[in-house]
Structure formats: C-alpha cells, structure tokens
Amino acid sequence: MQTEPQDRLVKADAFSTDERAAVYRAIETRRDVRDQFLPTPLPDDVLGRLLAAAHSAPSVGFMQPWNFIVVRDEEKRARVFEAFQRANEEAALMFEGAARDQYRSLKLEGIRKAPVSICVTCDPTRAGKVVLGRTHNPRMDAFSTVCAVQNLWLAARAEGVGVGWVSIFHDRDIKDVLGIPDHIEIIAWLCLGYVDALYAEPELAVKGWRQRLPLEELVFEDTWGVRPSNRSAGD
C-alpha cells in the first residue's frame, strides 16, 4: 500500500478567532447584487485574485472543468442584455397575477451596470470519458464548476466586490455572442463590480418574494424526515 509522503502534508490547525469570524462573515453577508453596482473599474489585480480563488475550488477527479470568459466589451454585453430581456419576458409570463407584477418590478440591471462580467463554463470532456468520482453521477463536473462560482463569490465579498448571478437566458444566445463551442455548458453569467451598500438580508426576502427557511426544518438525522434528537451537553 502506497503511503503518503510526509513532506507533502501540512498541519491542519483551526483558524484563529478573527480569521474564523471573517470566513463566516463573508458567508453570511454575501448577496446576489442586481442593481447596486458602481461604475468604478475593477482592477486587474483584484480580478486576478478572484479568478485564482475560483480556480482553487474542489473538483471531482481533479478535472477542473471550468473556464472563465471575462467580458468587458460593451457591444457584447449589450447583446447579452438583449438576450436576457427576451428570456426575462418569457419568464414573467410563467407567473400569474400579483406574482407576475412583482417579478417585473425586480430590477435586474447588472449586465449593463457592472463594469465587467464573467461567463463561467464547464467542459465535460476535460478529463476524458471516464473520470474518477464521475463514473456514477455524470453531473459532477457541473457541480464542481458551481463550487468555483461560490469560491469567487465569497472572495469577492471579502474584496468589497458585488456579484450578481444571471441565469435567465437561452444558452444558444450566449454561445453565439461569445463563440462558445456546442459541447461546452454555460454554468453562470456573473456581473462584477464595486458596491457601496448591500441588503442586510437577501434582496428577495426584503422585497417579500421568499423568506429563508428555518434550518431546523431542513436537517434530518440518519433517515429522511427524522428530526435530530436533542442531545444534552454531556452526551
């Protein structure tokens, strides 16, 4: 049995109190920014750190299936916004009554207002036909790419950079604008820019669309539907 080279292992200490608090603060105050972007350009070194954070994400079979298309070109972003508007009207018609009116009232201006966008893609062929860990769940490449999105999002929060995830479009429209090959999957269109304020709670909760579900209703123990038993401090 092959043993792990000891010189490749590093001690896994817990973070300091301040470091730990910073991580949880980034998680708890991260928001999906739709309209509050400032026109201030995003410096290349900041963008580089965010991309490096994304690239440090875990991936099944270490396949690293992601690519990041940085889009600053105004003409391309305008075409993407037009594609979004068409799809957004289709989406509005899927709701009824007051929900449709409320949906249309939500501002979704990130594509035009944010100074830079990133199209995050997934290449399912990156590691070949048979990938360690993807043998029984072919979607693990896409799930891995979502981890890269989350890494970037949390790093952006620490940098004071807002991120908005746009998902309302037809993939074909975006592929045509950016020249993305047919076999590549689009995972996210991210709008990035500095913000000077964020909602204290998720915007959709503030505006009454949905509220955060209680965590205790979502946690089961050992079997689906079984609530965790209350343990005393001595257990």
Side-chain angles (χ1 to χ4, degrees):
M1 180 177 179
Q2 184 177 3
T3 59
E4 189 71 27
Q6 293 303 307
D7 61 348
R8 303 301 298 273
L9 296 173
V10 294
K11 191 171 178 58
D13 289 328
F15 287 8
S16 70
T17 301
D18 288 345
E19 291 170 335
R20 187 168 63 248
V23 172
Y24 283 107
R25 182 186 174 202
I27 293 170
E28 292 164 1
T29 63
R30 179 212 56 78
R31 296 290 178 262
D32 189 9
V33 180
R34 293 171 170 79
D35 186 54
Q36 296 83 26
F37 292 104
L38 302 175
T40 308
L42 199 63
D44 288 342
D45 61 330
V46 175
L47 181 59
R49 289 197 293 271
L50 299 184
L51 291 172
H55 188 46
S56 296
S59 62
V60 170
F62 202 41
M63 68 179 301
Q64 305 160 76
W66 43 72
N67 280 93
F68 309 99
I69 307 174
V70 179
V71 184
R72 293 190 176 92
D73 183 84
E74 291 187 8
E75 187 271 336
K76 291 184 184 297
R77 288 194 290 136
R79 289 174 61 191
V80 170
F81 184 74
E82 291 172 1
F84 158 77
Q85 282 187 306
R86 292 192 297 270
N88 196 46
E89 182 55 27
E90 294 172 1
L93 296 176
M94 297 177 189
F95 298 96
E96 297 181 354
R100 181 182 296 177
D101 294 336
Q102 186 180 14
Y103 179 89
R104 284 178 167 154
S105 72
L106 298 173
K107 292 184 177 181
L108 300 166
E109 294 291 322
I111 297 172
R112 293 197 297 186
K113 294 184 70 172
V116 62
S117 291
I118 299 176
C119 184
V120 184
T121 63
C122 172
D123 183 351
T125 68
R126 173 106 358 124
K129 293 182 178 180
V130 180
V131 180
L132 187 156
R134 198 182 64 174
T135 53
H136 291 70
N137 190 336
R139 297 295 292 152
M140 293 308 296
D141 48 15
F143 300 159
S144 297
T145 306
V146 172
C147 290
V149 172
Q150 180 76 334
N151 267 23
L152 185 150
W153 216 333
L154 294 176
R157 179 66 190 92
E159 296 275 3
V161 174
V163 177
W165 184 333
V166 179
S167 59
I168 305 170
F169 50 74
H170 293 288
D171 284 12
R172 183 71 268 162
D173 292 338
I174 308 304
K175 288 185 175 184
D176 288 345
V177 173
L178 302 182
I180 299 173
D182 287 341
H183 75 282
I184 299 296
E185 180 180 2
I186 297 174
I187 298 297
W189 182 282
L190 303 177
C191 306
L192 284 79
Y194 286 110
V195 293
D196 59 8
L198 292 170
Y199 283 98
E201 299 292 334
E203 182 179 355
L204 293 183
V206 171
K207 295 183 176 179
W209 186 263
R210 279 183 65 84
Q211 300 302 312
R212 191 181 299 280
L213 299 172
L215 176 60
E216 58 269 20
E217 294 182 6
L218 307 176
V219 180
F220 301 145
E221 183 170 319
D222 294 330
T223 303
W224 177 268
V226 177
R227 306 291 182 193
S229 57
N230 292 324
R231 295 186 175 89
S232 67
D235 288 347

